[in-house]
Amino acid sequence: MAKSKKSKNKRPFIVTLILFIIISAAIYFIAGELIERQSKLMYPKKYEQYVEMYSEKYGIDCNIIYSVIHTESGFDPQARSSAGAIGLMQITPDTYDWLLYLRGEEKTRELDDIRTNIDFGTYFLSYLYKKFGNWDTVFAAYNAGMNRVSGWLEDPAYSDGITLTYIPFSETRNYVDKVGNTIIKYKQIYNEE
C-alpha cells in the first residue's frame, strides 16, 4: 500500500513537468516567431520585384540594394534630403542627369518614380563598384561623392593605395558602417549566406 501512495504522489509531478515542458516549448516557438516578424518589419524587403530585376540586370546582391535603400530613405519613396536627393535611393537630379548621359538615354521618367529610382540607384552602385572594386569604398563614394573618394584614395593619410584605410568625414564613416551592418542584418534575418 505504501508503494501505491508514492506512485500517486509522482503523477502530479510528472504531469506538471510535462505541462511545463510543453508550455516552455510553445513560448520559445512563439517568441522566435515574434522576433522574426519584428526583425522583418525593421528590415523589410519592399519593392522586391524591382530590386530583384535590377539586382540581376546590374549584378548587385539584393541585400546591398535593400541596405542602401534602408539607410538612405528607410523605404520612403517620397524622401527628400537637404542636399536635394530624391526617393528611395536618394539620388540628386545632377547625378540622375549624369547617369542618363552615361547610359545614352533621354529623360523619360521622373526620379521620384520608384522603379526609376531603384534602376538608377542600382546602376550607380554597379558603376561605382566597377570603378573602385571594394564595397566600403563604393558606399563611401555613394555618400560623399566619387571625386572626393578618388582624392582620398590618392592620399596616403586615408588610403593604402588600393582601399580606404580611414574616412575623414564622420558622416561618411558612419554611413559605410551602417550600410555594412545592415547587409549583415538582412543576410541573418532572411537566412542567406
Side-chain angles (χ1 to χ4, degrees):
M1 210 173 253
K3 221 176 191 182
S4 162
K5 255 188 175 179
K6 276 188 176 180
S7 228
K8 283 184 180 179
N9 287 341
K10 284 185 180 181
R11 276 193 201 143
F13 173 75
I14 292 172
V15 169
T16 304
L17 181 61
I18 291 170
L19 282 173
F20 176 77
I21 291 169
I22 291 170
I23 291 169
S24 296
I27 290 171
Y28 179 79
F29 177 76
I30 291 167
E33 288 291 315
L34 290 174
I35 290 168
E36 183 178 337
R37 282 188 190 157
Q38 182 64 29
S39 295
K40 287 181 178 180
L41 285 173
M42 291 174 62
Y43 295 90
K45 285 191 167 187
K46 293 183 178 180
Y47 316 110
E48 198 166 8
Q49 72 184 68
Y50 299 131
V51 170
E52 287 183 7
M53 178 190 323
Y54 295 115
S55 165
E56 187 174 324
K57 182 175 182 178
Y58 301 119
I60 304 293
D61 182 339
C62 287
N63 292 311
I64 291 171
I65 302 166
Y66 285 123
S67 297
V68 169
I69 293 171
H70 185 280
T71 304
E72 287 287 348
S73 68
F75 289 90
D76 178 3
Q78 302 303 315
R80 301 284 188 274
S81 77
S82 59
I86 296 171
L88 293 169
M89 297 189 79
Q90 291 292 282
I91 303 166
T92 64
D94 288 344
T95 300
Y96 181 45
D97 290 342
W98 177 70
L99 293 171
L100 283 166
Y101 170 77
L102 279 180
R103 288 170 40 157
E105 295 178 16
E106 296 291 321
K107 184 176 177 179
T108 58
R109 302 178 285 173
E110 293 302 316
L111 194 49
D112 59 1
D113 172 70
I114 291 168
R115 181 177 177 175
T116 301
N117 203 276
I118 294 172
D119 178 3
F120 281 83
T122 306
Y123 175 76
F124 190 34
L125 287 170
S126 73
Y127 177 87
L128 293 171
Y129 190 77
K130 285 174 189 160
K131 181 173 179 62
F132 297 116
N134 174 279
W135 282 113
D136 284 349
T137 307
V138 168
F139 303 142
Y142 198 92
N143 178 262
M146 191 171 46
N147 293 334
R148 183 173 286 132
V149 168
S150 292
W152 292 344
L153 285 168
E154 293 173 8
D155 188 332
Y158 308 130
S159 170
D160 60 11
I162 299 168
T163 59
L164 293 173
T165 55
Y166 180 75
I167 299 172
F169 291 179
S170 63
E171 177 191 329
T172 302
R173 263 194 323 272
N174 293 335
Y175 178 85
V176 170
D177 288 344
K178 188 171 182 183
V179 173
N181 289 332
T182 303
I183 291 167
I184 292 167
K185 285 281 193 192
Y186 269 99
K187 288 180 178 182
Q188 289 171 341
I189 292 165
Y190 294 94
N191 298 315
E192 299 171 9
E193 289 299 316

